[in-house]
Amino acid sequence: MQAMRFEHLVQINDPLVPLLDTLTRAQLWSGLALFAHEPMRFNPVLEDARVISQGADAIERELNFGTHVVRDRVTLATLRELTIAIEPGTRWPASRLTVRIEEPSNDALFLRFVHEWPEDAPRTELDEQTIGMREQAYKLHHLDIVARIRDLGRGGLLG
């Protein structure tokens, strides 16, 4: 797999869109914590998720996608960010996803999603179209995560 870095922002609160449900930083963090602790709520293709170990600020998990199993470690920095370090498998290299809460002003709240593969990851020739399709798939998954967090907020499940 080609070494890469891909990042993008998702706006959570927009004062120019009054009909958009507003989330507080604490609610957004609660949603991200649920994403880490209960991944099946956020990924419909996930067949099973098992916690291997859990501490105050880290979770080791095994995620079963049916055709393959992924092991990862989620590190939580309360109200700031979570990082998912994915162990290498037979079909993919180690990688990392960081989801960071950004609040440039009191009425603006964003999530920054950053996918990274280390520079020493095995490289193959991926054409630009394949890379673009992967990035689009990431964006759609991130938007689904945010939509689910919004649903949980509307349901009063985020505090």
Side-chain angles (χ1 to χ4, degrees):
M1 195 170 284
Q2 182 173 337
M4 67 180 263
R5 176 185 171 95
F6 170 69
E7 71 178 83
H8 71 103
L9 281 172
V10 175
Q11 189 166 5
I12 304 302
N13 296 337
D14 187 347
L16 300 177
V17 183
L19 298 178
L20 187 64
D21 293 326
T22 300
L23 294 172
T24 66
R25 186 182 194 103
Q27 288 173 314
L28 185 57
W29 175 253
S30 292
L32 289 176
L34 274 174
F35 169 66
H37 287 91
E38 299 179 26
M40 291 184 66
R41 284 186 181 228
F42 294 87
N43 194 332
V45 300
L46 191 57
E47 291 185 9
D48 189 40
R50 184 170 67 90
V51 173
I52 298 167
S53 68
Q54 185 170 337
D57 62 353
I59 307 164
E60 291 187 28
R61 313 177 301 181
E62 188 173 86
L63 308 175
N64 182 344
F65 290 92
T67 58
H68 64 283
V69 175
V70 174
R71 287 184 59 124
D72 65 19
R73 177 180 175 84
V74 182
T75 305
L76 302 138
T78 303
L79 293 171
R80 292 191 322 259
E81 72 180 27
L82 68 82
T83 301
I84 302 173
I86 301 166
E87 293 181 7
T90 56
R91 299 186 299 182
W92 63 87
S95 62
R96 180 175 53 235
L97 167 63
T98 302
V99 184
R100 184 174 306 116
I101 298 174
E102 297 184 4
E103 193 170 8
S105 66
N106 286 340
D107 57 353
L109 196 59
F110 294 83
L111 283 181
R112 180 176 301 275
F113 293 85
V114 181
H115 287 270
E116 298 174 285
W117 279 258
E119 288 302 316
D120 62 348
R123 293 176 184 256
T124 60
E125 294 299 319
L126 287 179
D127 64 5
E128 292 301 313
Q129 183 178 7
T130 303
I131 292 169
M133 289 180 352
R134 178 186 296 152
E135 291 174 356
Q136 281 304 109
Y138 287 151
K139 283 182 181 179
L140 289 174
H141 181 59
H142 302 156
L143 291 172
D144 285 345
I145 291 167
V146 171
R148 184 66 184 131
I149 290 171
R150 286 189 190 289
D151 289 344
L152 292 166
R154 272 191 297 278
L157 300 173
L158 299 179

